[in-house]
Amino acid sequence: MSGSTQAAPRGSPHTGLSPNEAQYTNAQASVVRLMPLVGELGQSTIQKVLSHTENPGNAIREIQMKASLRNPHCGPLLSLLDELGVTRLETHVSMLESAKKVLAARIEQMTEEALLALLEETFPYVSIDGLRSVPLDILKRLESVPEAYLQELGEDHNLFAELPIAVQRQVYEVNRKLLQEHAAPLMAVYLHGVAVVRQELNMDVGRKSITGPPTRQTYRKTLAHLVKLVNMIGGSRKVYHGMMDLCVTKFKESEGVYVGPKEAGYCLLRSQLLMAFHDSPSFRHLANEDPCHDLAWILDAAIAQNRSSLEQDRDSQVLKPAHMTSLKKFFRDLESRDAGRGRKRKHQAAGSAGGESPMYGSGAWREESGKVIAEAGMILRDPSALHLIIQQVLQRLPNILESMIVPSEDEDLVFLTRLLQLAVGCRQMLKEKRYAVPAVKVELAADFFTILITFAMEATESEAYNSQDSSLDDANQQLVNFLVHEEVARHVTAMYTLERIAARDWARVRPLMASINQTLEQLSDKALPEWAAFAATLARRLAELLPLHQVALADPIWKACVDRFLLKAVDIDSQVHGEVVRIFAEGADQHLKHEEQSKQDKAVAAKTGTSHLPRPDPFPVPVLVDYLQKCLAATKHSRRRHKKRKQEEMQFIKGNRKHAGGYSSGGGLTSRGPVMHDTDQEGRLDVSADNTDGVRSEYAILVPSRSGEGSGSSLGNRLQLTKDMAPELFSYLRMD
């Protein structure tokens, strides 16, 4: 085997003996003292022996004798096989495989002590292909692998990929850096999956119209990369804690100044990874030990109950009394448990003078060991949970109005406001390492909600809506002030605006949208990602209302929602972009229906001899083209970001060394790359599909199919746009 180019055997980490010490201590010594002549180390050994001997022939014969088969019957048998045309290589390989099978059977019967002794003898050859299976078989049988071996196994990514998943987890336990290296790309692919982004950007938590599975539990079972993360963790407490810490770190250190879809996605992952373990009978003990388990469970149950209800009474609470009771108990226990540990506390410098009422909680700051409070905030910041709490807040306002009390005196409203403050403030807590369940801000609980109650009072007292009343487009300056300075106010106002749109309460929608638009003019463009969920949900609502003739191009509502807001928000994310384009696709469909109806009206008029008065086109083609080209011009940056991210994801999925390096990632994703299908379970298109900017397919349906492909009744084939009509659109689609 001296001619082999196999990798050199490793030194045994158990004994600390290096290859040099074991093999080359005395180069002129008898080869009897040499270790087996395997791989590069064997070559080097022979070279040293031959270079330090005066009789090379004798040295070679001695090496051959010591490395040969000792049984005297082997010589004649080898000669016979030579005559039969069987090469020595084939013979030795066959013998090696037979020997490994015998040893593998014995390994199955060995005690832990015997396995460790054999591992010490065989581990130096784990990097050699022909011998690797022996130490790997031993590693499979060991309940606990010594840390020295684990550290060395973690240094070789290709070797790591061949380890049993149970051993991989042990490597992760001692090598947190490797865990982060392998988990972070999986997290990124998960976060940008269509199904996940749709959860993040959906503010209609209780509505049945959302696209996708009806429950979050279904998502947890089917989203491939979440399943891979669960498999990476298995039943290991250390890996579970490491994975959750990574979620927290990614959330805290994300480059976004405001919490956009990416940052909120880490909160969703923190929540859903926990609940994935709750769903698993084998690993549920890890979820039960998580201090945020009860909180995540309560909120998940509340979301599931709302989504499973086919109909909800108007007076039915989003958070049922049992949910509210459980939430209050969780935070009461959390605060009392944290306060009872006797740690040094730091209080806010401003104290109650800073606008926080002591009657609603101390707001005492805890040091690093109170980090669970911030993690509870992340669970609350899971977009679906956040939106559910906001819906419950809005449901309290009519009760407060009916009871004629000050909002800050309503116990439930105060409690829910504190939860919202914790949700929006937890990221800053993590950065500053100061943790507290915040005391309610009086200006929020009293003044801000009073503004919304005033809107509600006007809705019950107002006369018929007058679309020509321009005063409705004036912003509420008190509300704008809150929106500029308070994230809680921004989230609640966004949800309230969507509720008013659902109620067709245009007299309230117009000042609300005016206030939102004025706020965005005062805030930095970096604040736009925070409005992603509102933008996507608003676009879906408008697309639903357009065919019902509830909104039209000339309406002030259209100008406020589309012209002033959505055309600015379209660059936030490709999913938002796609929802906005679907509005215009719906407009194109309305145009075609109008054209068909006009033809029918003309035919009837010609047949009856009556005059034909043409109806105005609800969505003329020039207007459609103008909106599409404005969207393209406004989204160059987001499309470029999406395309770059998509390429990185596909490199990772295919096992590009930049991301993968060579590991199994807990079952199924190796450095050799997976088998690609038309779509993966995250809902992304195949890498070969020309949709890498995330929205190209939305635009493509608006133009005729190439060479007559597809159905002649498709939207694009009926619309019959041409390059002369929409040059920028056709250039973007490369349809010259």
Side-chain angles (χ1 to χ4, degrees):
M1 297 182 68
S2 61
S4 170
T5 58
Q6 295 280 352
R10 299 164 182 252
S12 170
H14 190 65
T15 62
L17 187 64
S18 72
N20 286 340
E21 292 171 334
Q23 305 298 316
Y24 303 137
T25 302
N26 187 351
Q28 292 179 320
S30 170
V31 294
V32 175
R33 299 175 57 189
L34 298 177
M35 292 180 68
L37 304 176
V38 178
E40 294 179 3
L41 184 56
Q43 296 179 41
S44 181
T45 300
I46 293 173
Q47 182 182 13
K48 279 188 172 291
V49 170
L50 294 179
S51 63
H52 291 80
T53 182
E54 296 179 356
N55 193 334
N58 289 339
I60 291 173
R61 283 191 292 272
E62 187 175 358
I63 291 172
Q64 291 175 335
M65 181 183 68
K66 297 300 181 183
S68 64
L69 299 169
R70 302 299 179 86
N71 192 309
H73 300 293
C74 291
L77 290 174
L78 288 172
S79 298
L80 175 60
L81 290 171
D82 290 341
E83 292 297 326
L84 294 174
V86 180
T87 67
R88 289 296 175 94
L89 175 60
E90 292 172 330
T91 301
H92 290 158
V93 168
S94 176
M95 293 173 64
L96 176 62
E97 294 303 317
S98 297
K100 287 194 295 184
K101 287 181 181 179
V102 172
L103 183 55
R106 294 181 181 178
I107 287 172
E108 292 296 322
Q109 308 300 323
M110 286 184 175
T111 64
E112 188 87 357
E113 182 179 355
L115 288 170
L116 287 172
L118 184 58
L119 181 62
E120 183 177 341
E121 295 293 329
T122 60
F123 190 82
Y125 310 105
V126 72
S127 60
I128 298 174
D129 290 340
L131 300 177
R132 182 176 302 142
S133 63
V134 176
L136 290 184
D137 286 343
I138 299 170
L139 291 170
K140 288 179 185 177
R141 291 270 294 117
L142 286 173
E143 293 184 7
S144 178
V145 180
E147 183 174 338
Y149 294 109
L150 295 174
Q151 292 287 5
E152 187 164 352
L153 290 169
E155 293 174 2
D156 187 332
H157 285 186
N158 290 322
L159 175 59
F160 180 87
E162 298 188 35
L163 295 176
I165 182 59
V167 180
Q168 288 185 349
R169 293 184 189 122
Q170 292 183 63
V171 175
Y172 288 141
E173 289 180 353
V174 301
N175 193 333
R176 180 69 68 89
K177 182 179 179 181
L178 187 67
L179 172 63
Q180 294 176 354
E181 179 185 336
H182 289 182
L186 278 171
M187 288 183 176
V189 176
Y190 165 80
L191 292 180
H192 297 304
V194 171
V196 173
V197 175
R198 283 177 178 170
Q199 289 184 78
E200 295 171 9
L201 301 188
N202 172 52
M203 295 184 73
D204 295 326
V205 179
R207 300 182 78 203
K208 290 294 292 182
S209 59
I210 179 176
T211 302
T215 66
R216 305 215 298 176
Q217 187 177 34
T218 303
Y219 277 126
R220 294 194 292 267
K221 291 179 179 179
T222 58
L223 294 183
H225 292 90
L226 180 62
V227 173
K228 287 185 174 71
L229 289 170
V230 171
N231 288 338
M232 284 180 69
I233 297 169
S236 171
R237 286 181 175 83
K238 289 184 179 179
V239 180
Y240 179 90
H241 295 155
M243 196 74 77
M244 294 305 184
D245 286 345
L246 183 58
C247 285
V248 173
T249 300
K250 289 288 186 180
F251 172 63
K252 177 183 70 174
E253 297 179 354
S254 179
E255 66 274 10
V257 177
Y258 294 82
V259 176
K262 177 182 177 182
E263 292 76 22
Y266 286 114
C267 298
L268 174 65
L269 179 58
R270 174 67 176 89
S271 166
Q272 293 307 283
L273 195 54
L274 188 165
M275 288 305 299
F277 278 84
H278 170 88
D279 296 339
S280 170
S282 301
F283 304 140
R284 186 170 296 166
H285 63 283
L286 293 178
N288 292 337
E289 294 169 2
D290 192 314
C292 295
H293 169 258
D294 289 353
L295 176 61
W297 190 8
I298 295 164
L299 293 171
D300 208 71
I303 293 167
Q305 186 169 343
N306 274 278
R307 294 192 52 156
S308 63
S309 301
L310 294 176
E311 293 183 2
Q312 293 185 20
D313 295 334
R314 187 174 180 180
D315 297 330
S316 176
Q317 293 188 1
V318 176
L319 284 170
K320 303 298 185 284
H323 299 144
M324 287 291 292
T325 300
S326 299
L327 284 172
K328 289 177 181 178
K329 181 180 184 303
F330 174 84
F331 281 99
R332 186 167 56 248
D333 292 347
L334 177 63
E335 289 190 281
S336 62
R337 182 171 65 246
D338 199 49
R341 289 171 182 165
R343 292 187 303 273
K344 179 182 177 181
R345 297 183 180 182
K346 295 182 179 180
H347 295 270
Q348 290 174 278
S352 59
E356 295 186 346
S357 172
M359 66 183 292
Y360 301 124
S362 66
W365 290 106
R366 280 81 170 181
E367 293 182 331
E368 179 65 24
S369 53
K371 183 181 173 185
V372 64
I373 293 176
E375 294 197 48
M378 288 184 67
I379 301 296
L380 295 169
R381 191 62 183 79
D382 171 344
S384 295
L386 182 73
H387 299 151
L388 191 78
I389 294 169
I390 294 172
Q391 286 181 346
Q392 181 66 22
V393 165
L394 295 179
Q395 281 193 340
R396 293 298 307 160
L397 299 185
N399 296 333
I400 294 170
L401 175 60
E402 184 178 346
S403 302
M404 300 295 291
I405 62 173
V406 178
S408 58
E409 295 178 358
D410 185 88
E411 179 184 343
D412 283 352
L413 182 65
V414 167
F415 172 70
L416 293 168
T417 304
R418 292 184 70 194
L419 297 191
L420 293 177
Q421 289 176 225
L422 176 57
V424 303
C426 63
R427 191 175 182 217
Q428 193 62 31
M429 290 182 192
L430 290 166
K431 290 182 177 181
E432 297 178 356
K433 296 184 179 181
R434 297 197 304 165
Y435 311 101
V437 179
V440 69
K441 291 185 176 181
V442 171
E443 59 267 30
L444 279 177
D447 302 337
F448 169 68
F449 288 119
T450 298
I451 295 172
L452 296 189
I453 290 175
T454 302
F455 275 103
M457 291 175 61
E458 293 174 353
T460 60
E461 299 171 356
S462 64
E463 300 177 355
Y465 168 61
N466 179 11
S467 62
Q468 303 304 314
D469 185 357
S470 60
S471 67
L472 294 176
D473 297 317
D474 294 335
N476 183 307
Q477 295 305 318
Q478 283 184 295
L479 179 58
V480 170
N481 184 58
F482 274 109
L483 295 178
V484 169
H485 296 99
E486 293 290 347
E487 185 179 351
V488 169
R490 295 196 286 273
H491 289 298
V492 174
T493 301
M495 183 69 78
Y496 184 64
T497 303
L498 291 171
E499 286 198 357
R500 292 298 85 207
I501 290 174
R504 315 293 197 267
D505 184 8
W506 307 126
R508 252 53 59 191
V509 173
R510 285 168 64 180
L512 285 167
M513 285 304 305
S515 301
I516 289 171
N517 287 324
Q518 185 173 319
T519 298
L520 289 175
E521 291 172 0
Q522 296 184 34
L523 293 174
S524 162
D525 287 343
K526 294 180 179 179
L528 271 174
E530 190 179 275
W531 296 85
F534 174 65
T537 309
L538 174 63
R540 284 195 296 272
R541 292 280 178 88
L542 293 178
E544 293 170 0
L545 293 173
L546 202 57
L548 301 176
H549 308 292
Q550 294 292 322
V551 293
L553 289 174
D555 290 347
I557 293 295
W558 179 274
K559 296 182 186 302
C561 293
V562 178
D563 295 343
R564 293 191 63 191
F565 180 75
L566 288 177
L567 287 184
K568 179 184 292 186
V570 72
D571 198 38
I572 296 174
D573 182 88
S574 61
Q575 189 69 26
V576 175
H577 187 175
E579 297 290 357
V580 173
V581 174
R582 289 180 198 116
I583 300 176
F584 305 138
E586 189 59 53
D589 190 58
Q590 295 306 304
H591 162 75
L592 292 171
K593 289 179 179 178
H594 167 266
E595 292 288 295
E596 183 62 28
Q597 186 63 48
S598 295
K599 289 179 182 179
Q600 294 178 9
D601 291 345
K602 287 180 181 179
V604 171
K607 185 176 182 179
T608 60
T610 58
S611 60
H612 169 65
L613 295 176
R615 301 177 184 180
D617 189 339
F619 221 98
V621 169
V623 174
L624 168 67
V625 171
D626 182 59
Y627 274 121
L628 294 176
Q629 296 184 159
K630 282 180 179 177
C631 283
L632 288 173
T635 57
K636 291 180 180 178
H637 295 298
S638 62
R639 286 186 284 120
R640 191 179 300 118
R641 286 196 308 268
H642 185 97
K643 190 170 185 177
K644 180 180 178 181
R645 185 176 68 229
K646 190 74 173 180
Q647 290 170 345
E648 291 175 348
E649 288 179 8
M650 290 306 176
Q651 287 174 345
F652 164 67
I653 292 174
K654 285 190 167 184
N656 186 285
R657 291 182 181 178
K658 177 179 179 182
H659 296 285
Y663 52 91
S664 68
S665 298
L669 189 61
T670 72
S671 62
R672 297 182 179 91
V675 176
M676 295 299 297
H677 302 283
D678 291 339
T679 59
D680 67 11
Q681 292 185 24
E682 310 293 348
R684 285 178 297 272
L685 293 174
D686 188 302
V687 66
S688 62
D690 191 6
N691 194 49
T692 53
D693 67 356
V695 292
R696 190 180 188 279
S697 60
E698 302 295 341
Y699 285 93
I701 65 173
L702 294 168
V703 299
S705 302
R706 294 176 184 267
S707 305
E709 295 174 1
S711 171
S713 62
S714 69
L715 182 60
N717 288 338
R718 289 185 293 127
L719 192 58
Q720 286 297 308
L721 291 180
T722 65
K723 183 180 178 182
D724 291 337
M725 297 166 66
E728 287 90 347
L729 175 61
F730 276 70
S731 176
Y732 163 65
L733 295 173
R734 295 181 179 87
M735 297 184 66
D736 297 323

